[in-house]
Amino acid sequence: ALPISMFLVKWFKGVLGALGLYQKSGDLVFLGLDNAGKTTLLHVLKEDTYTQTDSTIQPHSEELTIGNVRFNTFDLGGHEVARKIWKNYVGAVNGIIFMIDTTDHERFELTKMELNKLLEIPDLNETPI
């Protein structure tokens, strides 16, 4: 069986190919509620290592290279205050990675509400999520 990090890299390359972004560059934003795994996934994709991280307090950006694709990524955090600024970042990105913590059943409705808010932003009609 493939290690989870290799599976994620192969899956991500397949998605990029389907979107026509393979061997190009673009801007991605990682969104989802706090503790959904956004920063962890970014580190797995970037460094091929799994490390638990503290909650993201301040938005930050990193460069991520997968194969021949270079991305400027934005990890905005998912706590209540951070979710209020998501709309300021999503209008000019090439894609959104929306993470859902499938073990946090109590927050499924909140997750659904936040995802629906994103889907209602007219500027995102052509943006892959």
Side-chain angles (χ1 to χ4, degrees):
L2 283 176
I4 189 69
S5 60
M6 287 304 300
F7 168 79
L8 287 172
V9 169
K10 286 183 76 165
W11 175 82
F12 210 68
K13 284 182 182 179
V15 169
L16 296 175
L19 296 175
L21 291 174
Y22 195 71
Q23 298 185 339
K24 296 183 181 181
S25 64
D27 294 325
L28 289 177
V29 65
F30 285 71
L31 301 177
L33 297 185
D34 50 311
N35 296 317
K38 300 172 296 296
T39 304
T40 300
L41 175 60
L42 181 57
H43 284 273
V44 167
L45 293 171
K46 183 175 181 177
E47 301 163 9
D48 198 24
T49 60
Y50 173 81
T51 54
Q52 281 193 302
T53 59
D54 293 330
S55 292
T56 302
I57 304 301
Q58 297 290 326
H60 67 277
S61 66
E62 294 189 41
E63 187 171 292
L64 170 65
T65 302
I66 299 176
N68 294 327
V69 184
R70 187 178 58 48
F71 292 102
N72 294 315
T73 64
F74 303 92
D75 182 358
L76 304 182
H79 54 285
E80 188 174 352
V81 173
R83 292 192 305 263
K84 292 178 181 179
I85 66 163
W86 286 359
K87 63 183 176 294
N88 299 334
Y89 284 81
V90 297
V93 298
N94 300 98
I96 296 172
I97 308 298
F98 192 89
M99 298 286 294
I100 300 170
D101 182 351
T102 60
T103 64
D104 193 355
H105 301 260
E106 294 176 6
R107 299 201 311 164
F108 278 177
E109 280 302 313
L110 179 58
T111 301
K112 180 181 174 184
M113 183 181 75
E114 294 297 340
L115 179 57
N116 282 335
K117 284 182 188 177
L118 285 174
L119 295 173
E120 292 171 359
I121 298 173
D123 289 346
L124 296 182
N125 286 343
E126 302 296 319
T127 304
I129 299 177

